[in-house]
């Protein structure tokens, strides 16, 4: 069974964000990586790119499909996980650790209030699985 860290917030598109000092670390959830299967390629934005909440910021390609990544909150990309270029499987192996994707400087921290807690996300996933 998937676990969802309590120190992260979650989107309905299955991204997570962990905020430390107004910088958000973003990745996809354990549920998302498991549903995608073996990830073979990750396309990420460049440092300095700006995104609005809900805007696509990249793609994840797996043996099953290509899925867009959606920004949980608005902000500017301050760091990209370059290790994913050579080792995209890190997303499968450690989605909340080494498999992180981008770090952004939050432009509107109040947007965090629109995201789900770990327990809310867990309930959301249960409902998704019933469909």
């Amino acid at each position: 069974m998937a676990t969802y860290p309590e120190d992260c917030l979650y989107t309905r598109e299955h991204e997570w964000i962990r905020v430390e000092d107004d910088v958000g670390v973003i990745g996809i959830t354990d549920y998302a990586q498991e549903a995608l299967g073996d990830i073979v390629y990750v396309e990420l934005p460049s440092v300095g790119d700006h995104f609005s909440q809900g805007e696509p910021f990249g793609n994840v390609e797996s043996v099953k499909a290509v899925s867009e990544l959606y920004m949980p909150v608005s902000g500017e990309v301050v760091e990209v996980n370059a290790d994913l270029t050579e080792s995209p499987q890190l997303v499968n192996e450690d989605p909340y650790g080494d498999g992180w994707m981008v770090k952004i400087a939050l432009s509107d921290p109040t947007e965090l209030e629109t995201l789900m807690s770990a327990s809310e996300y867990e309930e959301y996933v249960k409902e998704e699985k019933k469909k």
Side-chain angles (χ1 to χ4, degrees):
M1 184 171 175
T3 58
Y4 308 107
E6 295 286 333
D7 62 345
C8 296
L9 296 170
Y10 301 88
T11 70
R12 293 184 179 279
E13 291 76 31
H14 307 290
E15 285 84 17
W16 59 264
I17 181 169
R18 179 182 297 125
V19 179
E20 299 166 354
D21 299 327
D22 290 335
V23 173
V25 182
I26 296 168
I28 63 170
T29 66
D30 189 49
Y31 171 75
Q33 68 80 21
E34 195 171 299
L36 285 167
D38 293 337
I39 293 172
V40 295
Y41 181 74
V42 180
E43 180 183 347
L44 297 174
S46 300
V47 171
D49 288 351
H50 291 262
F51 293 93
S52 298
Q53 185 178 36
E55 191 176 4
F57 70 91
N59 294 297
V60 173
E61 185 176 337
S62 72
V63 293
K64 293 181 181 176
V66 176
S67 295
E68 280 194 304
L69 301 165
Y70 297 95
M71 195 58 79
V73 293
S74 301
E76 176 184 348
V77 176
V78 294
E79 188 175 345
V80 174
N81 188 350
D83 292 342
L84 296 182
T85 303
E86 295 296 321
S87 305
Q89 74 277 5
L90 290 173
V91 177
N92 293 116
E93 295 169 1
D94 191 11
Y96 301 104
D98 291 340
W100 67 274
M101 297 179 172
V102 296
K103 293 181 180 180
I104 67 163
L106 280 63
S107 61
D108 184 0
T110 63
E111 291 175 341
L112 294 169
E113 297 168 12
T114 65
L115 304 176
M116 291 181 276
S117 68
S119 60
E120 290 169 333
Y121 181 71
E122 188 171 356
E123 287 301 314
Y124 176 72
V125 168
K126 283 181 186 174
E127 292 301 314
E128 286 286 297
K129 288 180 178 176
K130 290 179 185 175
K131 293 180 182 176

